Amino acid sequence: QVQLVESGGGLVQAGGSLRLSCAASGSAFSINAMGWYRQAPGKQRELVAAITTRGRLDYAESVKGRFTISRDNAKRTVYLQMNSLKPEDTAVYYCNADVTSDYHSYEYWGQGTQVTVSS
């Protein structure tokens, strides 16, 4: 079993910055990729950014140039630096991890952290 613990959400004015963190814990697993998704009220959950163990990056078009995803493999932690935030970035942000354990792949989600950007 893998647990994902998120932190760093909050309320910020438009143009401001926030940094989200997500730490994975558990035993007997390896991480293939970690990422951040978000879900705004009335909308589907969408990918924000993802990073693989080898460093491959994926970003939603709407956040390119403003958000940066990074990870610390030793700490099993992924970060999302969010700059130039806009009101449309308001959503619950969820950490996601794609892991391998005992030769099987599993997907885990964090509990979500609220990000609110005021205009």
Side-chain angles (χ1 to χ4, degrees), residues 61-81:
E61 285 295 327
S62 61
V63 306
K64 283 183 178 179
R66 300 188 297 123
F67 291 10
T68 302
I69 190 169
S70 61
R71 63 187 289 175
D72 184 328
N73 289 334
K75 295 182 178 180
R76 292 179 166 178
T77 298
V78 65
Y79 306 95
L80 184 67
Q81 178 65 42

Side-chain angles (χ1 to χ4, degrees), residues 10 25 39 41 43 49 68-69 78 87 89 94 96 101-103 117-118:
S25 63
Q39 187 166 19
K43 295 187 178 181
T68 302
I69 190 169
V78 65
D89 294 317
Y94 296 91
N96 173 273
S101 178
D102 194 23
Y103 304 105
V117 184
S118 63

Side-chain angles (χ1 to χ4, degrees), residues 2-119:
V2 175
Q3 293 79 42
L4 301 177
V5 178
E6 303 148 338
S7 62
L11 173 64
V12 65
Q13 288 188 332
S17 298
L18 284 174
R19 188 190 194 211
L20 305 182
S21 299
C22 173
S25 63
S27 61
F29 71 97
S30 61
I31 297 175
N32 304 314
M34 294 185 76
W36 292 93
Y37 287 71
R38 66 186 181 187
Q39 187 166 19
K43 295 187 178 181
Q44 289 187 333
R45 190 173 296 189
E46 63 175 358
L47 173 69
V48 177
I51 182 168
T52 68
T53 302
R54 296 187 177 184
R56 175 180 170 179
L57 305 174
D58 283 309
Y59 289 98
E61 285 295 327
S62 61
V63 306
K64 283 183 178 179
R66 300 188 297 123
F67 291 10
T68 302
I69 190 169
S70 61
R71 63 187 289 175
D72 184 328
N73 289 334
K75 295 182 178 180
R76 292 179 166 178
T77 298
V78 65
Y79 306 95
L80 184 67
Q81 178 65 42
M82 305 185 293
N83 298 329
S84 301
L85 282 160
K86 304 175 181 180
E88 51 263 44
D89 294 317
T90 295
V92 178
Y93 284 69
Y94 296 91
C95 178
N96 173 273
D98 176 0
V99 309
T100 296
S101 178
D102 194 23
Y103 304 105
H104 295 282
S105 294
Y106 301 90
E107 186 177 38
Y108 291 93
W109 292 91
Q111 78 282 1
T113 184
Q114 177 70 46
V115 171
T116 303
V117 184
S118 63
S119 57

